[in-house]
Amino acid sequence: QVQLVESGGGLVQPGGSLRLSCTASGIIFSIYSMGWYRQAPGKQRELVARITRGDSTNYVDSVKGRFTISRDIAGKTVYLQMTNLKPEDTAVYYCNAVLSTNSLGLGKDYWGQGTQVTVSS
C-alpha cells in the first residue's frame, strides 16, 4: 500500500511564499515521477509542476519563474517552493506520484489527500 502525505499549505498574503512537501511511503519499487496538481473551485485539476527520476522538470506557464519543484536524494519526497504568490494561485494542491510497486515496472498514479493554499490579503 502506497501513501502520499502532504504538508505546508496555508494562508498567505499576495507576494508571500510557501513550501509544500510530499513524502511517499509504503511498498515502492521505483518512482518514475512526482508532481503537484491544483484544483480551484469550479475549475479542472491542472498540472502545476513535475519532476522525473532523471530530474527533468516542467511547469505550467502561469507559475514559471515563481515556483520551483525539487526532490530529496532518496527520491521519495518532493517539494514545491512557491514565491510571489498571487490570488489566482489559490487552490487545493495535490501531490501525485507515478510509481511501480514491483519489478514488473508498471507505473501507476497515486495521489495525496490535498492541501489548501489560500492567497489573500
Side-chain angles (χ1 to χ4, degrees), residues 16-33:
S17 299
L18 282 175
R19 188 172 88 149
L20 306 182
S21 300
C22 171
T23 298
S25 63
I27 302 174
I28 298 170
F29 186 80
S30 184
I31 297 178
Y32 300 112
S33 68

Side-chain angles (χ1 to χ4, degrees), residues 25-48:
S25 63
I27 302 174
I28 298 170
F29 186 80
S30 184
I31 297 178
Y32 300 112
S33 68
M34 294 186 77
W36 292 92
Y37 286 70
R38 67 186 179 187
Q39 187 166 20
K43 294 189 176 182
Q44 288 190 328
R45 189 175 296 190
E46 66 170 352
L47 173 65
V48 177

Side-chain angles (χ1 to χ4, degrees), residues 30-107:
S30 184
I31 297 178
Y32 300 112
S33 68
M34 294 186 77
W36 292 92
Y37 286 70
R38 67 186 179 187
Q39 187 166 20
K43 294 189 176 182
Q44 288 190 328
R45 189 175 296 190
E46 66 170 352
L47 173 65
V48 177
R50 174 169 296 282
I51 185 166
T52 70
R53 63 180 176 180
D55 289 328
S56 295
T57 59
N58 63 288
Y59 299 87
V60 66
D61 285 346
S62 60
V63 308
K64 287 180 180 177
R66 300 189 296 121
F67 291 10
T68 303
I69 191 169
S70 61
R71 63 191 185 101
D72 70 345
I73 292 176
K76 291 185 177 180
T77 297
V78 65
Y79 306 98
L80 186 67
Q81 179 67 48
M82 305 184 292
T83 63
N84 191 21
L85 282 159
K86 303 176 180 180
E88 51 264 42
D89 295 317
T90 296
V92 178
Y93 283 70
Y94 296 91
C95 178
N96 169 267
V98 180
L99 58 87
S100 62
T101 57
N102 56 61
S103 61
L104 293 178
L106 298 176

